[in-house]
């Protein structure tokens, strides 16, 4: 670098400042005593002027500038003075560009840069002067504009929000505005005269160099990453424009700080990505849900299928069971007939009608007869069991005295016990207050079975006691119906039953292996059938025993008639399974035909020879429940047609209404003195007339199932009528 000749200006009489020491060795100093204007007239060819800030710095700076407008003036002032001087410089006229620095910033580097700026100015000035001259020779001088100080222009640049930097052809900083201070971090006097990349420290120097080398006159724009003075990496938009004047090329560099914007953008982008991630997570979750839903649907469908299959299987099983019991019934009949014949002919032979028998023949024929009888009882037991299992046995619900059932059973077994030398005590025989509600013949069957077992398993000389009574609650394990229970006990002093066999004896074909069983014969079905019959009547059969001491069997029976089954349950079951078509049509047909049906039913009752009592009864009494019952059934059928779901509540309510009507009807028939058989007949007639009435309107086979459902309503009404009938007869046994 060319040797600099700085001038230090201080107030007349003032001594050197401390900062001068660092310069005096390196540079030949010219010290000017700025007391009079002339003092500074000689500085026009110096490279820079350092003004001592202790003096009237502004006045001295102005005078230096007017002596040589191209020379760079630097005011050196301590921190507290600097602010004041900066303000004065900003608004003062005729000052040019003044650098204001602190004493510690003074050094050869500062002087060198100021020198470079001064020289740049000088060469630029020569050029503009030449241009001015050229222009002046070509055209009249333009009207003089208002004089605007360099400082004012500098202040305009100062208020710009973006850094504006100009570079000389060598790429050194020629001007540097306040925004550049703020954005880049270097102060103006630190930056001036330096290569741009020294102050605007790009992360990629070649990129910046390439930008600055562009020759285009249009602004070249790019983005640049640079390090601020404090080391923070910033990003800015950079525009470089080339200004050519004569042989000088000056570049203006404008930066627009994007760092904060980018940070916000980054945050926004991050958030957007997070949102996107959340959205796709949600989407995935939704997909999973949909899949789960599909799975559920499939499982549901499978379940529905299984249910249908299970229902079908149950249906098939029921059918198979019915077929089995039909078969058994037929077979039993087929077997019973020849056995009866064998027994009959054996007895004829024994009577000697076909000629006398030897003693041996008589003994053998006796065995044939005994075996045949055993076979017969086995067949009968099997038939009974088959019927119970198929639900084919109907048990009556009649009120009966315990004492008469016991007497009837005893009459049948007394010969056996007498033969075996077993005494039977019957302390019950005068009790005429204990009664039960059930089927007399079945009760007798159970008692005969219990008594025969007792005789079978008791040794000669033993005792059998039959006791009876009523209790509020049966023991645990017995049936669960409410109300008092009648009980009959058969107590023996026989061989007893081991505790671990107690459950087995109620299972079909099970016999206690040890003891007399084999000796005594038997089928192993008696107790099974007895317990099932007891339960069918709403009662139970229980046993207690102690081996070697004896056994006690207790038959429990209800004392009240069971209420009829909820009317609608059977219908509901059928509806859930598969709703028949044409329910609405059948309902409408029934409603329309109801009057005719009731009239025909009434006429037939009067005409029926089995129902002589019907002749004397008024129409309304004879018809009794029929109109109300039919109307309610018709309404139920119509409701089922309308609703998409099976109307369970409505059906249950409807069923309840019909049950009440039907039970009341049973009661009414009892009061009119009808027999149960007569009522069964009239109900059969009602059923026939209903079917005929509906069929008059709807003849197609597509209504078969709907009609079958209608019949179910009538079945249930019939059951309720019978229950009402029995209850009324129990309450009014007369
Ligand atoms: P069975 O036709 O064999 O008598 P049951 O079902 O009536 O068939 O009885 C089953 C078994 O229970 C009998 O074989 C017997 O072992 C036992 N049992 C029944 N009653 C008595 C009793 N009073 N004393 C001892 N054992 C009995």
């Amino acid at each position: 670098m060319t040797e600099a000749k700085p001038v230090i200006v201080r107030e007349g009489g003032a001594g050197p400042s401390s900062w001068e020491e660092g310069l005096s060795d390196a540079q030949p100093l010219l010290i000017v005593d700025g007391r009079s204007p002339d003092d500074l007239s000689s500085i026009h060819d110096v490279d820079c002027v350092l003004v001592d800030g202790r003096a009237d710095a502004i006045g001295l700076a102005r005078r230096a500038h007017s002596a040589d407008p191209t020379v760079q003036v630097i005011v050196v002032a301590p921190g507290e003075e600097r602010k004041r001087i900066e303000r004065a410089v900003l608004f003062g006229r005729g000052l040019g560009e003044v650098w204001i620095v602190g004493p510690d910033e003074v050094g050869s580097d500062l002087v060198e840069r100021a020198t470079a700026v001064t020289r740049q100015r000088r060469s630029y000035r020569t050029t503009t002067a030449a241009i001015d001259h050229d222009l002046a020779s070509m055209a009249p001088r333009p009207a003089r504009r208002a004089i605007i100080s360099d400082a004012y222009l500098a202040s305009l640049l100062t208020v710009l929000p973006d850094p504006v930097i100009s570079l000389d052809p060598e790429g050194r900083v020629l001007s540097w505005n306040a925004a550049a201070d703020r954005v880049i971090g270097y102060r103006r006097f630190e930056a001036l005269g330096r290569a741009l990349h020294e102050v605007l420290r790009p992360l990629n120097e070649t990129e910046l160099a390439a930008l600055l080398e562009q020759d285009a006159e249009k602004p070249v724009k790019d983005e640049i990453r640079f390090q601020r003075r404090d080391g923070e990496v910033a990003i800015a938009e950079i525009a470089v424009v080339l200004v050519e004047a004569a042989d000088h090329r000056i570049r203006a560099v404008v930066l627009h700080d994007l760092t904060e914007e980018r940070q916000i953008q980054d945050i926004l982008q991050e958030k957007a990505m997070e949102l996107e991630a959340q959205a796709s997570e949600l989407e995935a979750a939704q997909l999973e849900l949909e899949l789960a839903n599909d799975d559920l649907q499939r499982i549901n469908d499978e379940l529905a299928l299984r249910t249908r299959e299970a229902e079908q299987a149950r249906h098939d099983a029921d059918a198979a069971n019915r077929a089995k019991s039909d078969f058994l019934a037929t077979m039993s009949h087929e077997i019973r007939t020849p056995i009866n014949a064998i027994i009959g002919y054996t007895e004829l032979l024994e009577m000697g009608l076909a000629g006398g028998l030897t003693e041996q023949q008589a003994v053998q024929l006796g065995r044939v007869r005994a075996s045949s009888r055993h076979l017969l009882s086995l067949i009968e037991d099997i038939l009974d069991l088959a019927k119970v299992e198929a639900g084919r046995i109907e048990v009556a619900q009649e009120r009966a005295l315990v004492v008469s059932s016991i007497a009837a059973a005893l009459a049948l077994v007394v010969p056996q016990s007498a033969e075996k030398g077993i005494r039977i005590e019957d302390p019950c025989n005068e009790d005429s207050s204990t009664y039960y509600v059930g089927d007399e013949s079945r009760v007798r069957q159970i008692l005969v079975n219990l008594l025969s077992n007792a005789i079978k398993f008791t040794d000669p000389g033993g005792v059998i006691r039959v006791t009876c009574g009523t209790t509020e609650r049966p023991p645990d394990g017995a049936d669960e119906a409410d109300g008092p229970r009648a009980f009959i006990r058969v107590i023996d002093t026989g061989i007893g039953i081991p505790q671990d066999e107690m459950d087995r004896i109620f299972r079909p074909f099970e016999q206690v292996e040890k003891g007399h069983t084999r000796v005594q014969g038997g089928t192993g079905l008696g107790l099974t059938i007895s317990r099932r019959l007891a339960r069918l009547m709403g009662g139970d059969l229980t046993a207690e025993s102690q081996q070697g001491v004896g056994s006690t069997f207790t038959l429990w029976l209800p004392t009240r008639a069971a209420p009829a089954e909820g009317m609608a349950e059977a219908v509901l079951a059928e509806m859930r399974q598969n709703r028949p078509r044409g329910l609405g049509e059948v309902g409408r047909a029934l409603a329309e035909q109801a009057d005719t049906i009731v009239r025909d039913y009434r006429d037939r009752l009067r005409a029926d020879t089995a129902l002589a009592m019907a002749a004397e009864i008024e129409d309304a009494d004879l018809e009794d429940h029929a109109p109300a019952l039919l109307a309610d059934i018709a309404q139920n059928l119509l409701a089922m047609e309308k609703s998409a779901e099976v109307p369970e509540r409505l059906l249950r309510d409807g069923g309840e209404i019909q049950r009440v009507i039907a039970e009341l009807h049973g009661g009414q028939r009892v009061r009119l003195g009808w027999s149960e058989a007569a009522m069964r007949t009239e109900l059969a007639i009602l059923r026939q007339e209903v079917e005929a009435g509906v069929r008059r309107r709807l003849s197609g086979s597509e209504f078969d199932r709907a009609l079958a459902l209608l019949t179910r309503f009538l079945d249930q009404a019939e059951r309720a009528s019978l229950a009402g009938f029995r209850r009324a007869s129990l309450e009014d046994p007369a």
Side-chain angles (χ1 to χ4, degrees), residues 595-714:
D595 287 347
T596 325
I597 293 171
V598 171
R599 196 196 57 221
D600 291 351
Y601 156 74
R602 195 185 58 211
D603 291 350
R604 275 190 62 189
L605 293 188
R606 289 200 193 289
D608 200 303
T609 47
L611 302 173
M613 58 291 205
E616 286 112 51
I617 301 174
E618 302 259 318
D619 276 358
D621 282 339
L622 195 55
E623 291 166 9
D624 192 38
H625 78 318
L629 179 71
L630 298 189
D632 200 73
I633 295 175
Q635 211 172 19
N636 270 228
L637 290 169
L638 286 168
M640 281 188 269
E641 178 201 39
K642 280 194 208 111
S643 69
E645 300 279 311
V646 177
E648 308 226 347
R649 256 203 65 192
L650 197 121
L651 271 179
R652 286 215 170 83
D653 290 351
E656 196 53 26
I657 293 168
Q658 291 158 35
R659 187 180 65 77
V660 172
I661 297 172
E663 279 196 28
L664 288 173
H665 174 67
Q668 187 244 30
R669 289 306 195 235
V670 171
R671 282 191 299 284
L672 291 179
W674 289 40
S675 66
E676 193 175 312
M679 203 180 67
R680 280 184 196 273
T681 309
E682 77 151 331
L683 291 173
I685 292 173
L686 178 63
R687 183 194 292 258
Q688 286 162 15
E689 287 307 322
V690 167
E691 197 157 329
V694 174
R695 276 296 182 201
R696 272 197 291 277
R697 309 289 310 216
L698 310 165
S699 51
S701 64
E702 70 263 34
F703 299 109
D704 285 358
R705 284 199 57 223
L707 251 170
L709 196 77
L710 167 58
T711 315
R712 300 296 281 274
F713 278 107
L714 291 172

